[in-house]
Amino acid sequence: DALGDAGPVAASGLRSAGRISLFLALTGVLLPVAVAAYPLGAPAVRRIALIWFRGVARLASLRVKVNGAPLGQTGTLYVSNHVSYLDIPVLALLTDAAFVAKDDVRDWPLFGLCAKIYRTLFIRRDAREALGQRAEMADRLAAGDSLVLFPEGTSSDGIHVLPFKSALFAVADTAPGAEQPRVQPVSIAYTRYADGRPLDQGLRALYAWYGDMTLLPHLISVFGLRGAMVEVTFHAPVQARDFRGRKALAAHCHDKVSMGVTRAHWRRVYDIPMESGKLVEFRP
C-alpha cells in the first residue's frame, strides 16, 4: 500500500474534460425540469434530483460500501461528519433527507440554486438566531421531513472528526416522549483510491475538501481521477430522552461517528464480508 508502489496519482485532463462536459449537460437538462417540478412538492423534486445525484456519483467513479442501514422513518435527524461536497450526493442517494447547510451555500453559483430546489435548510452560525433556527428545524422534522446535519460546522480532512457543535442538537428535545425525532449517527469515510491505495497522508486531499481549498479546481481534479471507495456506516438510532441534555447527545454521536471513521480507515483487512455490508456501484 506504499505510495510509491503504483506511482503518483494524477488527474487526467482528458478524463476531466469529458466528465465536466457530461456534468454540465446533465445539469442543464435536469435543472429546468426540477424547477418546473418544484410546485408539485418535495417528492417530485427528489425523483429528479436522484438522477442528478447518481450521475454525479458515477462521474466521480465512487464505489460506496454501506454498513448498517438508514432508519428510513420520516422526521429522522441524521448526524454525519463532513468531508467533501461529494458527501451530498452519496448521502442523498442513501437517505430520503434534506440537508442543513451554512447560509453562504445559498449564494454559491449553480450549487446554491440546486440546494434551494432540494429544500435545503440554511442556517447562520449566529447565537442570536439559534432559537429561531432550531424552531425551523423542529417544524421540518415534525412535518415529516428528515434532515442531515453536519455538526462539525465545516468539512475536515476526512481522517479526523472535528468537535461537534451541540447547539442544534436541542432540536431533538423539542417534543415530548415518543414524539421526539430519532437521531441516527452516520460515519462517512473516503478510504481507498481506485488502485487500492489508502487515502491517507498525501492522498487525503484528493477527495477531502477542507481548509482554504477552492471548489471548482478541486471538482475538476475529482472528475479527472480514477475513483474512490467511500464507506458509509449507519449507527444505531437514539432519542434525546436517552441523554441528560444536548451536549451529552452530541458527545454520543461524535463518539459513534469517530469510531466508524477510524474503523473504515485503519482496518487491517479492508473488505467487509458482504453479509455485513452492501456495496453500491456508481461506476460508469
Side-chain angles (χ1 to χ4, degrees):
D1 284 339
L3 181 56
D5 290 348
V9 173
S12 163
L14 185 61
R15 182 188 294 122
S16 180
R19 289 179 173 178
I20 289 171
S21 298
L22 290 172
F23 169 76
L24 293 175
L26 180 70
T27 305
V29 169
L30 293 180
L31 187 56
V33 179
V35 171
Y38 190 80
L40 301 178
V45 172
R46 176 167 172 76
R47 283 194 291 272
I48 298 161
L50 285 178
I51 300 172
W52 188 80
F53 287 134
R54 185 172 292 274
V56 172
R58 286 176 66 90
L59 290 171
S61 292
L62 300 181
R63 301 174 70 222
V64 182
K65 174 75 78 175
V66 181
N67 304 310
L71 185 59
Q73 293 182 2
T74 58
T76 299
L77 181 64
Y78 297 100
V79 176
S80 175
N81 62 308
H82 193 17
V83 183
S84 169
Y85 48 83
L86 294 170
D87 301 348
I88 305 301
V90 170
L91 294 177
L93 287 164
L94 299 176
T95 66
D96 183 10
F99 293 86
V100 180
K102 293 187 293 185
D103 191 64
D104 59 352
V105 174
R106 189 198 304 263
D107 300 321
W108 286 9
L110 181 61
F111 294 102
L113 176 59
C114 293
K116 293 175 192 176
I117 294 171
Y118 196 67
R119 60 201 165 98
T120 297
L121 197 160
F122 298 102
I123 59 170
R124 298 179 187 273
R125 298 293 178 184
D126 187 335
R128 294 170 296 181
E129 299 186 31
L131 187 61
Q133 292 170 349
R134 287 198 298 267
E136 187 176 359
M137 285 181 64
D139 289 345
R140 290 279 296 267
L141 291 167
D145 280 351
S146 292
L147 298 172
V148 176
L149 175 66
F150 298 117
E152 292 167 294
T154 187
S155 52
S156 72
D157 65 2
I159 304 295
H160 307 96
V161 179
L162 302 175
F164 281 2
K165 301 180 187 301
S166 65
L168 293 178
F169 280 87
V171 72
D173 198 19
T174 54
E179 296 179 7
Q180 287 184 345
R182 294 277 184 170
V183 179
Q184 186 168 28
V186 182
S187 304
I188 185 166
Y190 297 74
T191 54
R192 298 268 168 166
Y193 190 57
D195 61 10
R197 280 180 285 180
L199 291 172
D200 57 11
Q201 300 176 7
L203 298 185
R204 67 183 65 172
L206 292 179
Y207 289 90
W209 182 66
Y210 60 101
D212 59 357
M213 293 180 181
T214 305
L215 177 60
L216 186 57
H218 194 273
L219 179 62
I220 292 172
S221 174
V222 164
F223 281 158
L225 296 170
R226 290 171 52 197
M229 174 69 81
V230 187
E231 186 163 326
V232 180
T233 302
F234 291 93
H235 303 278
V238 295
Q239 286 183 290
R241 66 186 178 192
D242 301 326
F243 302 89
R244 289 190 172 184
R246 60 179 173 82
K247 292 186 177 180
L249 174 59
H252 169 82
C253 290
H254 186 273
D255 288 346
K256 291 295 183 182
V257 171
S258 297
M259 178 184 68
V261 170
T262 299
R263 178 177 178 270
H265 280 293
W266 305 121
R267 112 169 20 89
R268 290 294 182 184
V269 179
Y270 177 71
D271 288 325
I272 303 173
M274 288 306 295
E275 63 267 23
S276 301
K278 179 176 65 175
L279 184 65
V280 182
E281 292 276 7
F282 297 127
R283 282 182 138 177

